[in-house]
Each structure stands twice: as C-alpha cells, then as structure tokens.
Amino acid sequence: MVLSSIVNRLLHMNKIQIQNLSLQYSDGTESLRNVSMEIRQNAVTVLFGPAGGGKSTLLRCLNRLNDLAEVKTSSGQILIDGVNILDPKIDVVALRRKVGMVFARPVPLPMSIRENVIYGLELAGEKRKSKLDEAVERSLKLAAIWDEVKDRLNDPAIALSGGQQQRVCLARALALQPEIVLLDEPTSGLDPISTGKVEAALQELKKEFTIILVPQSVQQAGRTADAAAFFLQGELIEYAEGKNLFTAPKHKKTEDYIMGRFG
Amino acid sequence: MLLKLFSRNRHTVQKLGFTLITLVAVITVLPIVGTVIFILVKGGSALSLEFLTGFPRDGMRAGGILPAIIGTLYLTFGTALFSVPLGIAAAIYLAEYAKDNRATRAIRLAIINLAGIPSVVYGLFGLGLFVLFLKLGTSILAASLTLSIMTLPVIISTAEEAIRSVPQSFRTVSISLGATRWQTIRRIVLKEALPGILTGVILGLERAAGETAPILFTGAAFFLPRLPNSPFDATMALPYHLFVISTQVPEMPIQIQYGTALVLLIFVLTMNIVATVIRSRARAKRQW
Ligand SMILES: Nc1ncnc2c1ncn2[C@@H]1O[C@H](COP(=O)(O)OP(=O)(O)OP(=O)(O)O)[C@@H](O)[C@H]1O
Ligand SMILES: [Mg+2]
C-alpha cells in the first residue's frame, strides 16, 4: 500500500484524480454527473460556476463529509495519492486529517481561540503542550492571523470579527498539517480587506498544500486560480489553466458565465 | 386629521392590550405567590431545629420530621441514579443516532404519552413490576425505580430538545477535523446541551420529590421509628407524610401540617430556582 502510493506520487504530479464521479442525493437531485479531473499538487485549483452546480458537493466528496448527507447513489472513484478514498473500507478519520476544510460561514467551536486551533490535534492524541503551542503559532501564522490574536489566545473565538474568525478556522484546519485544503467560499461573509488577507494567505499556503477553492465570485476565481474548473448543473464543462480559461474560454457557456451573461 | 385620530386610537388599543396581558400575567402568578405566602405564614412558626432534625413523637402530633426529609432525599437521589443516565442516553440516541422512521416516531409518541399518565397508574405499575414480580418489596429501591419511570419522559424530552438545539454546523466542523461521531457528541454537543439537560433533570426530579401516588404502594411507610438503613427498607417521605398527618391522624396540630408542607415546598422550590439559575446563566454565556 505504502509502496504503491509512493510509486503513484512519482508517476503523477497530480495529487488527486477524480474518475467518472457521479452523485445523486436521496431527494433525486443529480448533483454530479460523470465528473473526471486531475488536481495538481501545490497549486490553487478553483471550482466555479452558478449556484447548484455541484461545487460544494464535490468538495464534500473529497473529505467524505457527504457521509453525513443523504446520498442515494454515487459512483466513480477519487484517488488521492493513488488510493481510492471512496472505498468504504478506508479510514475516514485519517482522510479528514489529511484533507482539511474551511466552510463558507466561519464556525468557531464554542471554546477559546487556542482550543479551537488544537481541537483536531488533541483528538488525534497530541497531549504535549510544547507541540500544541508550536502548532498554534505555526498555523495561526500560516493563516495570517497570528499578530492579531497572539495576545488573546484564551479569549472565546466567537469574540473575534468575522474575518478574524474565518482565518482562525483556516488555522484550525491547517493545524492538523493536512496535505489538501478545501475552501468553500471562505470569504463570502467578509469585507474586502479580510478577503484580501485570506487570498494572500492562499498564495503562501499553496507552497505547502494542495488547495481547492470554491471562490466567492468570478473575479476571485480569476485572481487566485492556477487551474480553474467550470461547473454547470453537476457537469464539468471546462477545465484549464487559470490564465487560459479566464482569457480564452473554449466553451460558449463558460464564456457567457465569465462575461456575466448568464441568465 | 383622520389619520391622527386613527393613530391615537391605535395607541389606545395597544395600551389596552398591554394592560390586559399584564392582568393575565398577574392572575396566573397570584395563586402561586398566594400559596407560598399562605403556607409560609401558617407553617413558619413550626420550623425549628427540632422540627427539622427530630423524630416524630406522640403519634406524629409532636416532634420533628427528620425521617421524612431524609426519606425524600434518598428517594430523589435513588430516582436520579436510574433516570439520569438512562434518560440522557435515550435522548442522545433519539437526537443523534435514531433514523427518522416509523419506529423512532413511535418511540417519541410513546414518550410524550408516558408523560401524561396519571402518577397513581405509575404507582400501580411499580407495585406490580418492582414490588411483587421482581420481589423488591415495598422499599426505597422499588419506589425509586417507580419514580424513575415517571421521571424518564420529562428528562428524555427536555434533554433531546437541548441536544437538538446545538447547531448542526458544530457537528459538521468537528467531524471535518477528524472527530468521530461519539467524540463530537461528547466534546461539543453534550457540553453545549448540558445546561438544558440539567434543567430537565432537575424539573423531573422535582416532580419525583413531590409525588405521593407512585410511592404509596411501592416504598412509603406510614411511620418508622428509625431511619432506613438499606435500599430494601421502606421509608417515610415528605409528600406521603403530609398526606398521612393531614387525613389519617385525628387531633393533628395544624402548624405541623403546614410546617411539613413548607419544608416540602422549600425543597421543591429550591430545585426549581437552581434550574432557573443554571438556565439563565448558560443563556448569558452561550456562544452561538
Ligand atoms: N445535503 C443535500 N441533500 C440534498 N440535496 C443536496 C444536498 N446538498 C446539495 N444538494 C443539491 O445538490 C445540488 C448541488 O449543490 P451544491 O451545494 O453542491 O452546489 P454548489 O455548486 O456548491 O452551489 P452554491 O454555489 O449555491 O454553493 C443542488 O441542486 C442542491 O440542491
Ligand atoms: Mg456551495
């Protein structure tokens, strides 16, 4: 198993391979239709498109958070480092430690900033204070929030502004030292300055992590994307390098959406 | 002009409405306050150290009510011992694990209906099941078990409600950080639901402490010259003692009756106040 994943890593620069993924929720909505794509390591891959396109659904497949939802049928494979993570037998807890997630609304857990950041680590069994302190500082710095909160780590996280909360939530996901970070419209409730900070943090983060972002707007997609995928009603319409896709989209639908001509 | 008249008129209607609502509120509170004051006035003079720490004398016409106080404490504690863990476990199951299907709905319906059963029916059930069938005899154990069954629906439904009111997003976030379902429940959900659960527990136990009918056939003793010393002993208890001295003993000094009522009332009201304090404190501290 270990050997095969090492071989896979050498063979593919692609961290994630999604193969013919389809998913239908139990209310009958077909949220993903035969999606195949490969996602690069150490890059920001953006999933964008109109509401209901299946972007969040795809993210939630990548860390198996959809296990909590009422899914009727799903088929296809998602290989991360060559291992099919949709296999019911894999260790989902280990998967979720490896694939961190940040949600649209910041959801600080009802505890202090520090406790929020170390929540996942403590669950993973880390008890040494020095390790935890180190992780707190490291991940808050990565999320570009350390300077703002370093003197108030024991304050309730809810007392922070929305933008600060969101960066603490990012730090909380990073504390587990994941390899992949999923961000679902992480700046949707934030002001332009906080949004700028999060976007800047992403550019730093991609050196260390594989980032998959559902942007808040086409503009944000354009600003952040190394690669971009356009989703429409569960289908992957176009997937290309960011600079190509936003300047010269190949599909009419993509172009219409980017130009804001979407009905 | 017309508009002005209309708006003044609306103002009057609003005032009238407020007055009515205040009046209704006063009318509902009045009997409670009245009862407390009445019992306080009538029974206050009976309260003394001897009354609280002594044994009944002269066919209960004098002396204290210690065995009844201790008995009620034992019964309340015994009830808590069974109903609290069971009730919380059931609430966790219903709120977090049970699928929304016909069986679950049936269970929930049963619990709601259980809460409406008259307490004397619980008493008879306890007599049949615990005292006779399980041969526990009239004992603290049998009475506590009977009271537990009566208390469970209250605890289960309030605890379930408290657990459900914890935002779903906490669970999602916790799971996404590599927590298992049970870790999420233990570390986030129960912690946040605790004040609500405690309130339910106290309200349930309070009802158990004040009931006569369920213990009448299952564990309450008319008179005991000593304190019970095992769970298999019968015991005196405040509500039953009150019933006895109010109806079964001729020439009973009235202030002993009211004194006993006062002690029971203080017992129950204290629990109530504790529950209220816990609830309002938690609400002030709540982080969501
Ligand atoms: N838990 C669920 N149960 C049932 N249907 C769902 C669930 N989650 C999403 N859906 C449906 O699946 C489809 C895709 O939803 P999804 O949230 O993935 O879209 P999205 O691209 O993220 O949209 P948005 O931009 O609005 O966030 C929608 O039609 C939605 O109604
Ligand atoms: Mg979405």
Side-chain angles (χ1 to χ4, degrees):
Chain A
M1 195 68 149
V2 176
L3 190 71
S4 78
S5 86
I6 291 172
V7 170
N8 252 300
R9 200 179 284 209
L10 292 176
L11 286 178
H12 312 276
M13 271 300 286
N14 290 325
K15 184 78 176 165
I16 305 170
Q17 294 158 287
I18 300 169
Q19 298 169 345
N20 307 103
L21 183 67
S22 297
L23 185 144
Q24 200 173 9
Y25 286 108
S26 53
D27 59 2
T29 339
E30 208 180 5
S31 299
L32 289 174
R33 241 178 295 168
N34 207 22
V35 171
S36 296
M37 64 190 287
E38 313 225 321
I39 294 175
R40 265 210 321 267
Q41 196 161 348
N42 298 104
V44 176
T45 300
V46 149
L47 316 177
F48 75 109
K55 302 161 318 249
S56 302
T57 301
L58 180 54
L59 285 194
R60 286 196 305 266
C61 287
L62 289 168
N63 66 351
R64 290 270 299 267
L65 211 55
N66 260 341
D67 289 9
L68 306 180
E70 310 237 325
V71 175
K72 189 156 105 193
T73 57
S74 70
S75 60
Q77 287 194 326
I78 298 179
L79 306 180
I80 296 183
D81 296 331
V83 176
N84 180 18
I85 58 137
L86 296 185
D87 184 338
K89 289 195 292 285
I90 67 138
D91 176 357
V92 282
V93 168
L95 172 71
R96 288 176 189 144
R97 286 186 184 134
K98 181 166 156 177
V99 184
M101 184 159 191
V102 177
F103 300 84
R105 263 184 334 109
V107 181
L109 292 170
M111 43 182 82
S112 73
I113 297 169
R114 183 187 141 85
E115 286 166 327
N116 259 283
V117 177
I118 62 175
Y119 182 78
L121 283 174
E122 282 192 324
L123 289 175
E126 183 57 74
K127 292 198 181 68
R128 289 164 294 180
K129 186 168 180 305
S130 60
K131 287 276 178 201
L132 294 173
D133 286 340
E134 210 177 284
V136 168
E137 181 168 346
R138 188 185 58 85
S139 43
L140 286 171
K141 275 182 175 156
L142 277 172
I145 179 81
W146 171 252
D147 288 329
E148 288 161 71
V149 299
K150 63 171 187 274
D151 301 319
R152 47 195 293 206
L153 291 175
N154 293 316
D155 287 6
I158 194 83
L160 299 170
S161 78
Q164 292 172 326
Q165 282 178 23
Q166 190 60 304
R167 277 173 289 150
V168 168
C169 291
L170 176 58
R172 180 175 65 191
L174 298 179
L176 280 162
Q177 298 196 277
E179 294 169 21
I180 298 164
V181 183
L182 314 172
L183 301 111
D184 195 349
E185 306 187 37
T187 57
S188 62
L190 306 189
D191 63 279
I193 294 174
S194 302
T195 301
K197 286 182 182 167
V198 172
E199 285 178 15
L202 291 186
Q203 295 310 316
E204 281 303 306
L205 289 176
K206 76 178 180 195
K207 295 173 189 159
E208 216 176 309
F209 307 93
T210 300
I211 303 224
I212 304 175
L213 168 74
V214 176
Q216 162 195 355
S217 61
V218 180
Q219 288 74 12
Q220 186 173 55
R223 285 196 299 270
T224 49
D226 291 316
F230 177 61
F231 281 84
L232 186 63
Q233 289 166 3
E235 277 180 276
L236 175 58
I237 303 291
E238 187 168 352
Y239 181 36
E241 289 297 299
K243 52 183 185 294
N244 300 338
L245 193 141
F246 290 106
T247 49
K250 290 207 171 64
H251 285 252
K252 179 88 174 50
K253 286 170 179 168
T254 317
E255 185 181 346
D256 284 350
Y257 185 73
I258 292 172
M259 305 305 266
R261 283 198 298 256
F262 220 81
Chain B
M1 183 63 201
L2 197 71
L3 207 80
K4 223 175 185 176
L5 214 126
F6 185 67
S7 82
R8 184 175 307 154
N9 197 5
R10 227 172 27 191
H11 194 70
T12 330
V13 170
Q14 181 173 328
K15 249 191 162 168
L16 196 77
F18 278 144
T19 319
L20 265 174
I21 291 169
T22 315
L23 210 70
V24 171
V26 169
I27 288 173
T28 42
V29 173
L30 221 57
I32 303 167
V33 176
T35 312
V36 173
I37 293 179
F38 181 71
I39 296 202
L40 207 66
V41 169
K42 288 268 201 176
S45 61
L47 285 198
S48 67
L49 198 63
E50 203 220 335
F51 187 68
L52 294 176
T53 59
F55 281 77
R57 283 183 283 110
D58 303 341
M60 298 187 264
R61 289 184 195 85
I65 56 167
L66 181 70
I69 295 176
I70 297 289
T72 288
L73 283 176
Y74 281 167
L75 288 175
T76 311
F77 182 74
T79 307
L81 215 59
F82 297 112
S83 63
V84 172
L86 219 65
I88 295 178
I92 292 175
Y93 171 75
L94 283 175
E96 297 284 333
Y97 289 101
K99 292 223 171 64
D100 186 27
N101 54 25
R102 205 171 286 162
T104 310
R105 281 196 289 276
I107 293 177
R108 216 170 261 129
L109 196 70
I111 291 171
I112 292 169
N113 282 308
L114 225 52
I117 292 179
S119 53
V120 67
V121 177
Y122 283 108
L124 281 171
F125 177 75
L127 174 67
L129 180 62
F130 301 123
V131 179
L132 301 175
F133 184 71
L134 294 177
K135 300 197 170 62
L136 299 175
T138 29
S139 61
I140 294 178
L141 187 60
S144 300
L145 285 167
T146 310
L147 287 171
S148 297
I149 294 184
M150 186 191 79
T151 315
L152 268 174
V154 182
I155 297 184
I156 294 175
S157 27
T158 40
E160 190 191 345
E161 191 56 39
I163 291 172
R164 274 182 195 286
S165 72
V166 177
Q168 196 58 37
S169 56
F170 288 172
R171 297 179 179 83
T172 313
V173 163
S174 173
I175 297 279
S176 81
L177 290 166
T180 61
R181 203 120 166 231
W182 173 239
Q183 284 171 328
T184 303
I185 292 172
R186 220 187 54 218
R187 301 186 57 140
I188 308 284
V189 178
L190 284 186
K191 189 177 137 218
E192 292 306 298
L194 192 64
I197 294 175
L198 273 183
T199 310
V201 164
I202 296 176
L203 291 180
L205 291 180
E206 177 193 316
R207 184 171 168 218
E211 280 284 355
T212 314
I215 59 173
L216 194 58
F217 323 116
T218 56
F222 189 82
F223 175 73
L224 276 179
R226 51 172 179 79
L227 296 178
N229 49 25
S230 102
F232 296 101
D233 284 353
T235 179
M236 294 179 74
L238 282 170
Y240 183 58
H241 183 64
L242 184 58
F243 168 74
V244 165
I245 60 178
S246 308
T247 59
Q248 314 290 308
V249 184
E251 292 164 51
M252 190 69 206
I254 195 106
Q255 85 261 33
I256 292 202
Q257 292 171 13
Y258 281 107
T260 308
L262 183 59
V263 173
L264 180 57
L265 200 67
I266 290 173
F267 194 85
V268 170
L269 279 184
T270 309
M271 287 171 83
N272 217 329
I273 290 167
V274 170
T276 314
V277 169
I278 291 176
R279 199 167 21 187
S280 55
R281 278 238 182 113
R283 207 162 278 166
K285 249 182 50 187
R286 178 173 288 186
Q287 300 185 6
W288 30 282

